[in-house]
Amino acid sequence: MNVYDSQRMADIAAQEGYEEAAGPENADLIVLNTCHIREKASEKVFSELGKLRALKNVRQRAGKTTTLVVAGCVAQAEGAEILRRQPAVDVVVGPQSYHRLPELLRWTQVSSGVVDTDFPPEDKFSRLSASAPAAIARRGVSAFVTVQEGCDKFCSFCVVPYTRGAEYSRPVGEIIEEVRCLAAAGVREVTLIGQNVNAYRGADGTGGAASLAVLIEAAAAAPGIARVRYATSHPNDMSEDLIAAHRDLRSLAPYLHLPAQSGSGRVLESMNRRHNAADYLNIIQKTRAARSDIAFSSDFIVGYPGETDEDFQETLNLVRAVGYASSYAFKFSPRPGTPAAEMKGQVEDGVKAARLAVLQALLEEQRQAFNRACVGRRFEVLFEKRGRHEGQVVGRSPYMQAVFAEGPSSLIGAMAKVEIVEASHNSLRGKVVSQAS
Ligand code: SAM
Ligand code: SF4
């Protein structure tokens, strides 16, 4: 989502006459778009700001001004505190108000240190005009489209409901217009994104609300769109119609990122996830029954407060029961203001690190096994760019793997049937069998 927001901020800056600079040393305007989800990401912001302050001073001595903006969820969470810790910052803007960037930049002419972390009543997206074709073309053949933002679930460990606010779904018409605009500029694949994307309920233009399944079907029907993905989903919002969409819509990628977080019922309850491992496995089984070639990925947290060795074993059992194509695992990071940060039974870092290593080794083993099992299979690859070698193109499989193949650069932007002939550590090699579209 930060990638999408950054692109939209670049579009806004372009409308104000800015062009993308080669690097920060050439930039009159620098926007740091930040993430608050874990402490490590959050702390990086301040070390980065220290470097940018030095750069700003160097440029100032050369007679150049630099406007420094901090955007995103750290901006939302820390607000004016950022100005106190780093006075070189000119603007602090939260993720719900970055459409006001032009006004905020004008404010910096008359006032130092402008902060906007409101949740404004107007719809941010309706204030963001459809991007200029030149800007969209830079996005290549695959693009993100935010369809839903915020979260009402309040998992005990998570800052999202506080930094991104309440759940909001964009209207269907507005999203489809953006998808059509992207497709007209050469985009062939869209990933519909939201913190809780399958909770999507967007106004359908007839007084009703459309589900994510309905939205996916409409996006897939946009001329030029060959493949649709969505992320990130909550297990409790895997509705019957969404599962059926995996059965009925061939252009919906057979790949589902469905974070489980833990395999222990006790931990899941304390996390306020409102599902247990059996519920999760049931959804996996139903989705597999709807689409036999579907593959799964997940997020896991280790060392959540109170997590015992037995709880952790249950997570490993869940991972073994599902067999993931790819997954992310994180050490629990206590986030200020969330209930889990204050819970008893905080797990010491050494234990977290040891569990993370065990879980990551198992997930990596599964990823490699999945990649090896792709050898001999044929599936559709959307070619995105030239490969490292002459006469080579690279694209993405339905399962997000990088696939290299021999072929002309005219394949870029095309979806082609590819037979996988080799799996290496981080990519697949294939042979183009036929061009689909
Ligand atoms: N909405 C998605 C869901 O319900 O699973 C997850 C969105 S969250 C932005 C992305 C991932 O970050 C989560 O799935 C979780 O694994 C991880 N995460 C969130 N808060 C965390 C924390 N305090 N410590 C460690 N990992 C965290
Ligand atoms: Fe965070 Fe996802 Fe839980 Fe919402 S559902 S609070 S975004 S982990």
Side-chain angles (χ1 to χ4, degrees), residues 251-320:
S251 52
L252 176 58
Y255 190 58
L256 177 59
H257 183 62
L258 194 65
Q261 314 297 357
S262 169
S264 152
R266 224 176 49 81
V267 171
L268 286 166
E269 195 179 340
S270 170
M271 284 178 165
N272 192 29
R273 290 291 287 182
R274 303 196 183 117
H275 62 79
N276 58 29
D279 302 328
Y280 182 88
L281 287 171
N282 189 28
I283 296 160
I284 298 276
Q285 184 257 320
K286 278 205 306 214
T287 319
R288 272 192 178 133
R291 178 111 193 216
S292 58
D293 61 348
I294 198 159
F296 297 91
S297 65
S298 179
D299 294 340
F300 294 95
I301 294 178
V302 299
Y304 182 80
E307 185 191 66
T308 61
D309 280 338
E310 289 71 39
D311 293 319
F312 178 61
Q313 285 306 321
E314 289 187 53
T315 298
L316 298 177
N317 291 344
L318 178 76
V319 171
R320 288 190 194 102

Side-chain angles (χ1 to χ4, degrees), residues 412-427:
I412 295 166
M415 188 82 113
K417 185 142 277 180
V418 171
E419 183 172 318
I420 303 304
V421 293
E422 191 186 325
S424 51
H425 199 70
N426 279 318
S427 61

Side-chain angles (χ1 to χ4, degrees), residues 37 148 150-162 164 167 194-196 232-235 237 259 261 271-273 299 301:
I37 199 83
Q148 180 277 335
C151 184
D152 296 339
K153 294 227 165 19
F154 290 91
C155 299
S156 314
F157 52 81
C158 184
V159 288
V160 168
Y162 311 98
R164 290 269 176 174
E167 242 166 61
Q195 270 90 20
N196 227 345
T232 293
S233 297
H234 191 287
D237 292 314
Q261 314 297 357
M271 284 178 165
N272 192 29
R273 290 291 287 182
D299 294 340
I301 294 178

Side-chain angles (χ1 to χ4, degrees), residues 76-149:
Q76 187 65 41
E78 305 273 345
E81 175 66 12
I82 293 179
L83 299 177
R84 200 191 60 73
R85 276 182 73 174
Q86 186 44 272
V89 172
D90 298 289
V91 178
V92 175
V93 60
Q96 299 311 328
S97 34
Y98 67 72
H99 55 289
R100 294 174 174 172
L101 209 47
E103 290 113 278
L104 301 175
L105 291 175
R106 277 188 275 284
W107 265 105
T108 60
Q109 315 288 321
V110 289
S111 147
S112 64
V114 180
V115 179
D116 185 349
T117 50
D118 281 359
F119 286 94
E122 78 261 17
D123 169 12
K124 167 177 79 184
F125 296 101
S126 62
R127 291 269 308 270
L128 297 169
S129 60
S131 308
I136 300 177
R138 279 202 305 272
R139 285 174 205 169
V141 298
S142 180
F144 293 124
V145 177
T146 291
V147 304
Q148 180 277 335
E149 266 197 293

Side-chain angles (χ1 to χ4, degrees), residues 5-15 18 20 138-139:
D5 287 342
S6 298
Q7 286 167 343
R8 299 314 308 250
M9 284 189 270
D11 295 347
I12 295 170
Q15 283 163 8
Y18 288 92
E20 226 170 275
R138 279 202 305 272
R139 285 174 205 169

